[in-house]
Amino acid sequence: MEKIGILTGGGDCPGLNSVIRAVVRKALLDGYEVIGIKNGWQGLIEADTLKLDLRSVSGILPRGGTILGTSRTNLYKNPEDLKQAIANYKKLELSALIAVGGEDTLGVASKLLKEGLKIVGVPKTIDNDLSGTDYTFGFDTAINIAMECIDRLHTTAESHHRIMVVEVMGRHAGWIATEAGIAGGADVILIPEIPIDIEEVCSLVKKRHERGKTFSLVVVAEGAEFKSGTKLVEVTQDAKLDEFGHVRLGGIGEILAKEIEKRTGYETRVSVLGHIQRGGSPTAFDRILGTQFGVKAVELVK
Ligand code: F6P
């Protein structure tokens, strides 16, 4: 029986289990055996696998995260890891490998493809920033969670006559901030693609207050940068880089809130939504998209 491997890499997101479930069900129907590789590329280095059957994927459709686990391991960081992973791909006698991930995981996948391995990539990220896609699964769940949080922050901001800054995810792209912000009726939305002009932000807020409003909602993507003269300042939590060279973002909301309060005199608070946006059960849209991707991936393997 021919074998297909499947792994999930990078940041987890709601809908990963929908893909895994669809791959297993479709592949078994088509006469393949399915091998799950644990914790992204790390599992291929260690040959850490489990056989996936109907029982292993039963009941996982509404579950967040990934039953296979994930990691941010970069096979191209260490030549020994790469050699080991290629050797294990052969040892496991895989006819093809389905790699579910974002820019980093799929970047590794496309390099492995050039080394002669048979790989099908499934695009995944809550940030919705992968080329060749209109939507990636996980994004719809993330914006619905963020929208609900913005709604909740709205009522407390209004009661206390405060400015509420909401920091959402989005490393290079402002899709979450934009769509959750519009859906939640935010007054200002700040995204990585457009440098923040703090004077403009404060003037927008002031104008609103002059109109009689006593509260405002500001949504900011964690990857947004300040415009300071001509120099752009990126706010990071940690100078340490991950294996793909990314810094850990976060903290822009705090700085923005302090700056707005200082410049406008209005009391300001901040809420950082963080990984809440990535956890929990996927929406119907993400379950369906994940299922379609899973079925298509097996068709492409064939
Ligand atoms: O790439 C998806 C993402 O959620 C980004 O929006 C965010 O910057 C990053 O992952 C957070 O990564 P980690 O889970 O490693 O903190």
Side-chain angles (χ1 to χ4, degrees):
M1 200 183 252
E2 285 199 56
K3 287 189 216 163
I4 302 178
I6 176 165
L7 63 80
T8 54
D12 70 335
C13 85
L16 280 167
N17 285 328
S18 316
V19 180
I20 298 168
R21 174 178 172 272
V23 164
V24 171
R25 290 169 69 118
K26 169 78 175 147
L28 295 183
L29 211 61
D30 290 348
Y32 292 97
E33 193 179 312
V34 187
I35 306 295
I37 295 160
K38 291 193 199 163
N39 304 322
W41 297 118
Q42 190 61 33
L44 197 59
I45 300 170
E46 295 167 359
D48 190 3
T49 63
L50 76 165
K51 194 170 158 187
L52 294 174
D53 55 18
L54 285 181
R55 183 180 280 222
S56 10
V57 296
S58 165
I60 68 170
L61 194 55
R63 263 168 67 183
T66 158
I67 60 162
L68 292 175
T70 185
S71 71
R72 292 201 184 271
T73 304
N74 182 358
L75 286 187
Y76 283 83
K77 191 95 178 126
N78 174 353
E80 276 312 305
D81 287 348
L82 180 63
K83 233 166 77 191
Q84 194 59 49
I86 295 177
N88 283 335
Y89 177 99
K90 290 179 184 148
K91 203 162 107 203
L92 290 166
E93 298 177 319
L94 300 179
S95 298
L97 172 62
I98 296 173
V100 190
E103 52 178 347
D104 298 329
T105 305
L106 298 185
V108 169
S110 73
K111 285 187 195 161
L112 287 174
L113 198 73
K114 289 187 192 118
E115 316 244 12
L117 271 57
K118 294 202 170 96
I119 308 208
V120 171
V122 174
K124 166 247 53 153
T125 171
I126 63 160
D127 289 3
N128 199 34
D129 60 352
L130 294 178
S131 59
T133 65
D134 289 325
Y135 285 102
T136 50
F137 63 88
F139 172 67
D140 186 65
T141 308
I143 57 167
N144 276 288
I145 296 169
M147 177 194 71
E148 200 196 316
C149 293
I150 294 168
D151 286 348
R152 288 173 188 273
L153 292 166
H154 231 120
T155 60
T156 160
E158 186 169 13
S159 307
H160 284 267
H161 317 291
R162 284 173 175 157
I163 316 278
M164 196 62 85
V165 173
V166 191
E167 182 182 309
V168 299
M169 279 191 168
R171 199 195 285 281
H172 308 296
W175 286 110
I176 298 179
T178 304
E179 295 210 2
I182 291 173
D187 304 298
V188 180
I189 298 173
L190 303 165
I191 57 176
E193 293 87 339
I194 304 173
I196 303 172
D197 182 337
I198 188 71
E199 275 173 28
E200 195 187 349
V201 172
C202 293
S203 124
L204 282 169
V205 168
K206 276 192 202 147
K207 269 193 206 136
R208 212 178 116 77
H209 283 233
E210 280 156 20
R211 264 191 10 240
K213 289 284 182 188
T214 59
F215 72 99
S216 291
L217 258 292
V218 177
V219 175
V220 60
E222 61 178 358
E225 295 170 335
F226 284 107
K227 189 164 87 177
S228 72
T230 49
K231 199 169 158 277
L232 297 180
V233 185
E234 187 186 49
V235 178
T236 59
Q237 269 193 49
D238 200 333
K240 233 173 67 199
L241 302 181
D242 72 11
E243 292 201 3
F244 289 92
H246 304 303
V247 288
R248 211 167 120 217
L249 293 171
I252 183 121
E254 190 72 43
I255 294 172
L256 192 63
K258 279 196 188 123
E259 206 54 38
I260 293 174
E261 191 171 86
K262 196 173 89 192
R263 289 172 184 245
T264 64
Y266 303 132
E267 190 181 19
T268 308
R269 292 283 193 274
V270 59
S271 272
V272 180
L273 303 191
H275 293 83
I276 287 172
Q277 296 157 96
R278 254 172 40 192
S281 193
T283 57
F285 183 90
D286 284 338
R287 293 182 200 190
I288 292 166
L289 188 59
T291 301
Q292 287 172 321
F293 279 176
V295 171
K296 187 69 189 179
V298 176
E299 281 170 4
L300 291 173
V301 166
K302 282 166 78 178

